[in-house]
Amino acid sequence: LKSIHKLVMNMADSGLITRQEIVSMIPPLLLDVHADHAIFDMCAAPGSKTAQLLEQIMASSIFEFGKANTDRPKGFVVANDADPKRAFMLTHQMNRLNTANIIIVNHDA
């Protein structure tokens, strides 16, 4: 089990997979996100929902508009967290996704 745990952690650190609780997966699915949407995630840290929202924006750009995955969609996410430490962790998590379609802020929403 240690080798599997290490593999999962390495894949998560490199951005190949995202570990997420089912309860966190539901809100982004219900929002019906599209490639041109602007989304404000007021309590974004640690970032699993935010990552899912960004993935939906990117996927929508590819499947709805037939754009290549190298084309940048117009949609974006403003990800906020009131706690500076959690906002820093959020920044670290979002860096794994390598996208310019996110703005991270640290403000009391």
Side-chain angles (χ1 to χ4, degrees):
L1 290 177
K2 286 183 180 183
S3 61
I4 292 173
H5 181 264
K6 183 177 179 179
L7 175 67
V8 169
M9 295 303 291
N10 287 338
M11 291 178 74
D13 288 343
S14 65
L16 296 172
I17 63 171
T18 302
R19 297 176 298 145
Q20 185 177 18
E21 297 288 332
I22 290 176
V23 71
S24 295
M25 297 170 132
I26 295 171
L29 292 174
L30 295 177
L31 286 175
D32 192 29
V33 175
H34 295 278
D36 58 345
H37 285 183
I39 302 162
F40 182 31
D41 189 350
M42 293 194 311
C43 298
S48 59
K49 288 187 296 294
T50 306
Q52 186 179 353
L53 291 166
L54 285 166
E55 288 168 0
Q56 287 177 298
I57 287 172
M58 301 303 176
S60 176
S61 177
I62 294 168
F63 295 115
E64 290 178 23
F65 298 107
K67 293 187 176 184
N69 63 353
T70 56
D71 293 343
R72 186 179 309 160
K74 293 180 182 177
F76 61 93
V77 176
V78 176
N80 177 67
D81 204 274
D83 184 289
K85 290 179 183 176
R86 290 177 58 85
F88 179 79
M89 180 175 53
L90 175 64
T91 302
H92 172 72
Q93 294 296 331
M94 294 303 106
N95 279 337
R96 295 181 308 120
L97 298 178
N98 195 25
T99 181
N101 297 67
I102 185 164
I103 300 167
I104 299 173
V105 295
N106 173 225
H107 189 72
D108 186 4

